[in-house]
Amino acid sequence: MTSSTTETVAVPATSTKLAAGQKHRVLSGMQPSADSLHLGNYIGALVNWVRMQDEYDAIFFIPDLHAITVPQDPAELAHRTRVTAAQYIAGGVDVDKCTLFVQSQVPEHAQLAWVLNCITGFGEASRMTQFKDKAQKQGTDQASVGLFTYPILQAADILLYQPHGVPVGEDQRQHVELSRDLANRFNSRFGETFQVPEAFIQKESAKIYDLQNPTAKMSKSAESPAGLINLLDDPKTTAKRIKSAVTDTETEIRFDREAKPGISNLLTIYSTISGQPVEKIVADYQGKMYGHLKVDLAELVTNHLTPIRERAQELLADPAELDRLLAHGADKAREIASATLADVYAKVGFLPYGGAR
Ligand code: AMP
Ligand code: TRP
């Protein structure tokens, strides 16, 4: 997947000047909230991350502190954190090129979040639409205070590392905006401290839809698993789901998101996995039937995902080694995070620790 036609994230020109040899920094994370990532996570996020790690100083993490803003089974959370990490690595995140860690292993996230909580307005936090949506789903009385302050913890995740860019889906734009507001506010109250980050928003062409309901985005919270392609599913299941994808009653293979959402989704998947432009695929399938496209796509996707699944399983078979890789990442992350936090603590007027800890 090297073709420029598969570029899936909009990167605004940044005004930040770099010293020779220095790279712009990007940071992102995906919650450990399922037993497998799905193809939307893979194409919409992971593929981009992998592409970015050469050009950028990249930091990727697993926001497990965010996961507990809604109830979690402890054993399941631990499992999902490892599974998520294994899929990042199996999908191409290279721990020698970038920094990969688990959020709860870097205590500075929670520490900075507290300081940021104290410069965020209650009304400002109340305007975060994801909170409103998630709280409504649970019943507002059930929603935790952690869920309410979720975006402020996210701002801490970001600001600790002084990144220039935060590659995320459109749904996270408001949270990146909040981080920018908090960075600017802190900087103007206490003096220049934080880099003000830019959102690198995922392009529409990187959005993957549910195979059974192709106007809804592919999501782990889908009503039925039949519309999902999971990275860790066995190839038979994946092939079956692709072959049963909902299409339309016409026969012509062409890209038309409005009139033909099912076929258009299959073409997007084909294009991003093969690296070929949609127009070429459409031309190649002129006069062929939907069934042909589905059979070929099933083979393309399963061939692509098989080595990723196998590598993830290998990593999961040796959890001690995986934990060691993550600990190494957490140590690297802490070097940056602790410097930022020390600066913040000094600026707000906390006494320096004078002991020998
Ligand atoms: P989620 O676990 O749903 O919060 O997704 C984590 C990230 O994966 C999002 O921020 C998006 O970048 C990406 N993502 C999730 N679902 C899709 C999808 N259906 N199509 C493309 N990208 C997606
Ligand atoms: N809230 C993000 C999501 O649900 C995950 C996340 C947490 C994140 N902290 C972050 C993403 C910092 C980017 C940067 O997708």
Side-chain angles (χ1 to χ4, degrees), residues 136 151 240 348:
Q136 213 163 33
K240 188 161 165 239
V348 300

Side-chain angles (χ1 to χ4, degrees), residues 53 63-64 70 92 154 177 180 220-221 283 310:
Q53 62 189 353
D64 55 346
V70 297
Q154 184 164 348
E177 281 299 319
R180 291 172 59 85
K220 62 199 164 224
S221 46
E310 288 175 354

Side-chain angles (χ1 to χ4, degrees), residues 18-127:
L18 292 176
Q22 200 193 0
K23 291 175 174 175
H24 282 119
R25 180 171 288 158
V26 292
L27 169 137
S28 197
M30 264 189 277
Q31 284 198 50
S33 45
D35 292 329
S36 173
L37 296 181
H38 58 68
L39 197 69
N41 301 134
Y42 178 68
I43 290 174
L46 196 53
V47 166
N48 255 317
W49 294 4
V50 170
R51 192 179 292 128
M52 287 186 148
Q53 62 189 353
D54 288 320
E55 202 185 324
Y56 292 88
D57 171 10
I59 302 181
F60 302 119
F61 73 103
I62 299 163
D64 55 346
L65 297 176
H66 278 106
I68 66 160
T69 56
V70 297
Q72 297 288 338
D73 174 80
E76 195 171 70
L77 177 62
H79 171 71
R80 288 178 168 180
T81 300
R82 284 205 187 92
V83 162
T84 305
Q87 288 172 100
Y88 284 5
I89 298 171
V93 167
D94 181 342
V95 295
D96 294 326
K97 284 188 193 159
C98 67
T99 302
L100 171 65
F101 69 97
V102 174
Q103 185 189 31
S104 61
Q105 295 184 356
V106 181
E108 286 81 2
H109 289 246
Q111 292 174 291
L112 179 61
W114 179 254
V115 177
L116 297 179
N117 272 321
C118 297
I119 65 160
T120 308
F122 196 85
E124 189 176 28
S126 309
R127 284 192 290 276

